Amino acid sequence: MQLLKLVESEIQMDAPLPWNVRNHDCTLLLARGHVISSETQMQALLERGMYVDLEEKRAVEALASPKPAPTKSIYVHWTDAIDTLESLLHNLPDAPDFLAKIDALAQELITLAELDADIAIFMAVRQDQARHLRYGFSHSVYTALLTILMAQRMEWTTANIRLVTLAALTMNASIADLQGQMASQDYPMLDRQRVQLRAHPFDSAALLAQAGITDTQWLNAVRQHHEQANGKGYPTGTTQISELAQMLRMADVFMARISPRVIRPPMSVQDAARQMFRDDKGGAMSSAIIKVLGIYPPGNLVKLASGELGVVMRRGAEARTPLVAAVTDAQGRSVTTTLHRNTAEPAFAITGPATNDKNLLARVPPERLYGYAQRVPSGPDPSTHRRDGSTHDG
């Protein structure tokens, strides 16, 4: 036993002792819980010498010290972002400190995308198909992610990346709940729903203005995010559209096409990209989507030359050669051990996208592919654990 001499400041009058008090030869003087209630007794004990077992004192201090905040995985940070957005939009236009809170959320998404863009894309591509009612909020979060990656690819300024992220998060503020209802219904859009949809760009901007948003670029991007350069957009049919609004519409439409609905399956990433590229006539923004996602983005289910099915984990040096995790054997049977396949090798080359198998994909959570160690202690820090994940133009 190693003894440590106590000083007066370590002993509290009229309070139970947190440890046993001993004399210099380890003899017990006062048991834990004893109360020293007089100054005379205190002085007598101090003169005699009071000691405590060092290990016992350290154990008591460890119990009394505040526990560190539990760490969250990067996957939880993405799902928490959806919860945060839902809470903020539900309180509009009277949400307290809305600008500060929505700006903090936008900055968190930017940081999460920088922390690991491949995991971010995986979360967007592999959206939870059982949560249609929350589609309005998840769609805005993942559209914001895509605009971040596009804007970074196009070397936009930090200020404009922030603005387009904010616009993406708030573009559907007036219809987020309606979007969830429509994603979960098994019948076509109703006339009253169509009226709400046509009006939502201006309605959403009005809610933001009432909440104290005065940035004209942000508000105009929300008002114009369904307008088209050929005048066939809505709600006004204008052909004078800001660059922010153009990017917002491109990302919005792309994410909508690859997202599941009860009434229809999602479009494949490859078909959505081809259609977007054709509609944009090979413009810079549709090209940016293809370049940041690759031909086979993380989360995509693909067929390999080996006969295996795999889920794309990370984009590769070339757009057609990502890193894939095999989730079946060559006979199509599920495997419990996930094997990484380098698709640049001919034996494991991708032969094409596979039809999404809900049952198979349900057994492939991100933790299985990326591990449980993807932790973000108190807030994402891009200076550590960063994975660039950029692709070449091939």
Side-chain angles (χ1 to χ4, degrees), residues 216-236:
T216 55
Q217 292 186 80
W218 178 354
L219 295 174
N220 282 337
V222 171
R223 292 189 190 102
Q224 296 178 353
H225 76 276
H226 281 293
E227 303 287 6
Q228 298 183 41
N230 59 12
K232 295 181 179 180
Y234 68 88
T236 68

Side-chain angles (χ1 to χ4, degrees), residues 299-337:
N300 212 187
L301 187 67
V302 293
K303 296 181 288 187
L304 304 180
S306 62
E308 300 163 313
L309 295 184
V311 175
V312 177
M313 287 182 61
R314 297 199 177 278
R315 296 162 294 168
E318 299 292 337
R320 295 182 180 276
T321 58
L323 177 66
V324 168
V327 293
T328 76
D329 61 19
Q331 286 70 46
R333 296 172 299 205
S334 295
V335 293
T336 56
T337 302

Side-chain angles (χ1 to χ4, degrees), residues 8 22 25 64 69 77 83 96 99 105-106 119 129-130 218 242 260 271 274 282 295 349 352 379:
E8 187 173 359
R22 303 174 184 275
D25 62 0
H77 272 273
D83 294 338
L99 175 57
L105 179 59
I119 288 180
Q129 300 194 21
W218 178 354
S242 73
D271 287 344
R274 276 192 289 269
I295 305 298

Side-chain angles (χ1 to χ4, degrees), residues 1-4 20-30 48-54 56:
M1 181 182 297
Q2 184 179 352
L3 295 180
L4 177 70
N20 295 313
V21 173
R22 303 174 184 275
N23 67 10
H24 64 88
D25 62 0
C26 296
T27 302
L28 182 66
L29 295 178
L30 302 173
R48 181 174 181 176
M50 290 190 293
Y51 298 82
V52 65
D53 178 8
L54 180 59
E56 184 180 1

